[in-house]
Amino acid sequence: MTRRLDFYYDLLSPYAHIVLARLPDLPTDVAVRPRAILFGAVLAHHGQLGPAEIEAKRLHTYRQAVFLGATLGRETVFPPRHPFNPLAALRLLAGAHDGAGADLATVRGAFDFVFSQGHPVDTPDGLAALAERLGLDPALATAEASKAALSANTEDALAAGVFGVPSFVPYDADGVAGPVFWGVDAFDMLLAFLDEPAIFERPPYAALNHVKIGVRREKANRA
């Protein structure tokens, strides 16, 4: 029976672009369902800053993304502005196929447009060019159904425990969700889980559920 793997992404993320290079490594019985989400809403929910919002971390993030992309054969070229506002482009993708969302080939094309070719999507002209490239109706970017689809995806991601992008949530053949796997560097751990779904129930992983929090820092207020 086919297992499902939800792939939560935001077009803002170069790492979501890069991790697409790893999808051929998945077992053949795993079907990937791409789901566009608003990363900013996820960050706000958890009280986090994005890596590119931390000035000391921003250039490091860009360098790492380009390096990882080259390592995995997924060329990474940043658009002229980053971070940028991906909202309209995400609605375009989330609203495709009557709200079912863009398929994997279309999502790959969107990431290629932004992070292989370095095109902006945060302007009317850039968004129109993206829609034309993907063969999607540009009106999807402002449709109420698209807004609802993106919002529902984001709420589903938060309910599943997603805290960043890219994130993968596996489901077994009975539709039971597994843990969240976040980032390019967690992909091998995802493969190990798909090969052995009980991996985290045995040592040394099982003991991690009982590690206590020793100190908590107050979250800084953002102006």
Side-chain angles (χ1 to χ4, degrees), residues 10-209:
D10 186 321
L11 205 53
L12 181 72
S13 171
Y15 299 105
H17 162 74
I18 294 163
V19 83
L20 291 169
R22 297 299 313 272
L23 297 191
D25 298 334
L26 290 168
T28 56
D29 69 327
V30 173
V32 178
R33 180 172 72 159
R35 304 189 70 182
I37 63 172
L38 186 60
F39 182 38
V42 173
L43 292 173
H45 177 83
H46 292 292
Q48 296 174 279
L49 288 172
E53 293 180 287
I54 302 170
E55 192 56 37
K57 192 175 183 180
R58 190 164 73 95
L59 184 56
H60 167 81
T61 298
Y62 299 161
R63 288 170 175 166
Q64 183 188 47
V66 170
F67 180 83
L68 286 174
T71 300
L72 292 172
R74 188 114 172 100
E75 183 181 10
T76 304
V77 178
F78 273 74
R81 291 171 297 279
H82 193 279
F84 57 85
N85 185 349
L87 183 58
L90 291 172
R91 288 172 174 169
L92 180 77
L93 294 165
H97 302 304
D98 296 322
D103 58 24
L104 194 53
T106 303
V107 170
R108 187 183 296 273
F111 276 108
D112 284 344
F113 185 81
V114 176
F115 282 111
S116 287
Q117 298 152 19
H119 294 304
V121 293
D122 57 345
T123 65
D125 288 346
L127 183 66
L130 174 66
E132 182 178 8
R133 179 69 60 86
L134 300 179
L136 296 176
D137 183 353
L140 286 171
T142 56
E144 291 302 319
S146 298
K147 296 177 184 179
L150 179 62
S151 178
N153 284 352
T154 304
E155 290 299 320
D156 285 351
L158 291 173
V162 168
F163 53 87
V165 286
S167 282
F168 295 91
V169 178
Y171 291 80
D172 65 19
D174 295 322
V176 177
V180 175
F181 294 86
W182 165 64
V184 179
D185 53 351
F187 201 85
D188 286 325
M189 187 164 62
L190 167 64
L191 294 178
F193 174 84
L194 292 172
D195 183 60
E196 182 190 348
I199 186 172
F200 298 136
E201 299 172 18
R202 62 169 173 81
Y205 303 102
L208 300 177
N209 296 321

